[in-house]
Amino acid sequence: MRLDEINIRDPFVLCENERYYLYGTRAVDFGKHTKGFDVYISDDLINWSNATECFNSSKYGLDREVNWAPEVHKYRDSFYMFATFTQENGLRGVYILKADNPKGPFVPYSNGAVTPNKWECLDGTLYISKGGVPYLVFCHEHTQIIDGTVCYIRLSDDLKNSIGEPVYMFSGSTPEWADKKPEGEHYITDGPFMYTTKTGELILIWSTFIKGQYAQCIAKSDNGEIDGKFIHLPPLITDDGGHGMIFKAQNRIILTFHTPNKSLSERPVFKELEDNGNAIAVKM
């Protein structure tokens, strides 16, 4: 298969032993009641295997509604999938699954959702601090609070639980370039992902809508760590593409995201990035 034949949202690429593993949200009905996730495998980022199921959410009672945004991180020699599901209380939350290899099968691992139980949350990503502390970066949904936010919370070293209270990072309305909306209209935040530049600057990419178009946005910590103030830079993508992540392919740095933001039409795309140490930009 080629990328333009793969119909997923929220693409995520893991590189392991010079092989690439692509995960994402099954696109039908915007990822609702899709019964799990698939993985596509490639040796060259051009030719991909057919979809192979790597997690069956029905088997574990997690197909209540949403099956969103799977991303897989290697941590302490195992592979952990962070994904959004609808909880028993009807609110969305981020769960952590585990497998021995990137192909799965993944099984539930965390003690339920690791996001706050009474919050509507989505799109958790793993960040390991320079001191080795694991954190979950996630979004508190606009569906519950109108002006969506990006937050982080500490995880236990074994990734089974969150620890303490979530910390606010910013809101969808925070950037100077954000649309100015009448009171009560919603600001969306989704798809956070952390990237450290070659000189140690900490970058956060995330998505929202700008003038009605899905957009890939970027912010930078003012102290190089997750507890800094995040300064918003000009968006990376503003023409109906977003929910991206960044991975390394040999000597290249690549941004992947889905476009267009329309169910059953979306496809993953790859854009090479430049890392100048201070920030990142799409390579021209």
Side-chain angles (χ1 to χ4, degrees), residues 66-68 82 90 93 95 105 107 135 157 195 202 207 212-213 216 225 230 232 246 250-251 277 281:
V66 305
N67 294 242
W68 284 351
F82 292 68
Y95 291 66
V107 298
Y135 291 92
D157 287 344
Y195 171 79
L202 183 60
S207 290
Q213 294 290 301
Q216 185 66 71
E225 257 301 354
F230 278 80
H232 293 274
I246 298 167
Q250 297 178 345
N251 61 345

Side-chain angles (χ1 to χ4, degrees), residues 98-149:
K98 184 180 180 181
D100 293 329
N101 68 76
K103 294 187 291 186
F106 288 85
V107 298
Y109 175 76
S110 62
N111 293 318
V114 289
T115 44
N117 182 257
K118 295 182 179 180
W119 286 20
E120 185 102 284
C121 300
L122 79 167
D123 297 351
T125 189
L126 177 65
Y127 171 68
I128 308 297
S129 74
K130 293 179 175 67
V133 177
Y135 291 92
L136 179 80
V137 182
F138 65 96
C139 294
H140 189 180
E141 279 214 73
H142 69 101
T143 51
Q144 187 178 53
I145 58 173
I146 299 178
D147 192 355
T149 63

Side-chain angles (χ1 to χ4, degrees), residues 222-242:
D222 67 353
N223 71 356
E225 257 301 354
I226 196 169
D227 60 357
K229 179 181 178 181
F230 278 80
I231 309 302
H232 293 274
L233 308 177
L236 292 171
I237 307 290
T238 57
D239 54 353
D240 204 28

Side-chain angles (χ1 to χ4, degrees), residues 35-74:
K35 300 181 173 60
F37 303 117
D38 302 312
V39 60
Y40 303 80
I41 303 172
S42 175
D43 292 322
D44 59 10
L45 295 178
I46 298 172
N47 301 292
W48 295 86
S49 68
N50 290 330
T52 300
E53 184 174 88
C54 61
F55 179 65
N56 186 318
S57 62
S58 295
K59 181 177 179 180
Y60 299 100
L62 287 173
D63 194 35
R64 300 183 187 99
E65 188 188 21
V66 305
N67 294 242
W68 284 351
E71 55 176 74
V72 176
H73 298 263
K74 188 175 184 180

Side-chain angles (χ1 to χ4, degrees), residues 4 6-9 27 258-268:
D4 60 8
I6 299 176
N7 184 205
I8 58 171
R9 305 175 63 79
H258 75 251
T259 186
N261 191 43
K262 180 181 179 182
S263 186
L264 300 183
S265 297
E266 60 277 86
R267 299 291 188 274

Side-chain angles (χ1 to χ4, degrees), residues 176-192:
E176 290 185 2
W177 47 253
D179 295 341
K180 305 309 175 189
K181 300 181 180 182
E183 185 175 353
E185 287 200 17
H186 290 223
Y187 289 88
I188 291 174
T189 52
D190 72 29

